[in-house]
Amino acid sequence: FYLVWPAVIVGTLALAGRARLPAILAGIAVLGFLATLTYGWRDLSGAFYLFPFRIFQFAAGAALGCLVRLEAWPRRHPPGWARDGVFLAGLVSVLASVLLFDGETAFPGWAVLLPTLGAVALLLSGSFTNRQAGLGRAMLENPVSVWLGKVSYALYLVHWPVVALYRYRTGLDLTPVEQLALAAAMLAAAAGLHYGLERRFYRRAG
């Protein structure tokens, strides 16, 4: 992913130009989703882990990110209640995916649209003013959420090794207490990685 996806973006931008990039990325998202559905019937695990069958999720977010930077993007901001409505719909979709999906859920399949479109809705709700409206601001711009955002990439890197190594020693079933303990261990490892290594590569503006 870290080698191919940037090359796809840069190559598409060079060949098609900035104005066409969102549409092409949206096309990649649609085709990628169809490929995921098709391949998932044969190998659900491969459809989950292999990059070609998850590219549509990256492409959906990237298409929106490029679209809002075009001059054709509406400059007139929707009212706060409308942006909060989009935010709430996205949040419910993501939380429903967390709470309702289980080992019996065919994922990725049609179910993958729920968290994907939910994430796109969350991004869209803050794309008009580069800030959320009242509800989104309260939930995403508080100190806890901001801190989680800062360490989110480090958390992404460390979360699975923590779970996988623990399960390797104890088995697959985790009690609620074990889940909370693992969550604390993930946050501690993410904080250590973020402050001990990641921040060293930050560049100051100017």
Side-chain angles (χ1 to χ4, degrees):
F1 166 72
Y2 295 104
L3 295 176
V4 175
W5 183 242
V8 169
I9 297 294
V10 173
T12 304
L13 184 62
L15 293 174
R18 182 181 178 187
R20 297 178 181 176
L21 184 59
I24 293 175
L25 291 174
I28 292 175
V30 172
L31 293 176
F33 174 65
L34 294 177
T36 300
L37 290 180
T38 302
Y39 190 78
W41 287 105
R42 300 173 50 192
D43 181 7
L44 196 61
S45 178
F48 181 86
Y49 285 107
L50 297 178
F51 167 66
F53 306 108
R54 300 300 292 275
I55 190 175
F56 77 94
Q57 293 177 297
F58 298 109
L64 177 62
C66 293
L67 182 64
V68 300
R69 286 168 173 78
L70 295 180
E71 293 184 1
W73 184 251
R75 302 304 171 190
R76 187 174 181 178
H77 306 146
W81 62 264
R83 286 182 282 143
D84 273 343
V86 174
F87 172 84
L88 187 59
L91 182 63
V92 169
S93 298
V94 172
L95 291 179
S97 305
V98 174
L99 298 175
L100 300 180
F101 291 1
D102 56 25
E104 301 301 317
T105 304
F107 192 92
W110 286 101
V112 78
L113 287 178
L114 188 61
T116 303
L117 295 179
V120 170
L122 290 173
L123 294 173
L124 179 63
S125 65
S127 64
F128 290 92
T129 62
N130 292 324
R131 291 196 69 184
Q132 295 284 349
L135 178 62
R137 190 180 309 122
M139 297 193 67
L140 296 182
E141 296 184 16
N142 62 77
V144 174
S145 295
V146 171
W147 183 82
L148 287 174
K150 289 181 179 179
V151 303
S152 60
Y153 183 69
L155 184 61
Y156 157 72
L157 293 178
V158 304
H159 83 282
W160 190 242
V162 172
V163 174
L165 290 174
Y166 186 82
R167 281 182 166 179
Y168 178 76
R169 294 299 301 272
T170 63
L172 295 179
D173 294 329
L174 299 175
T175 67
V177 173
E178 288 175 313
Q179 293 177 29
L180 289 174
L182 288 176
M186 293 174 200
L187 289 173
L193 180 60
H194 174 73
Y195 292 108
L197 180 63
E198 187 179 6
R199 286 175 62 89
R200 296 176 182 268
F201 294 90
Y202 285 2
R203 294 181 178 179
R204 294 183 179 274

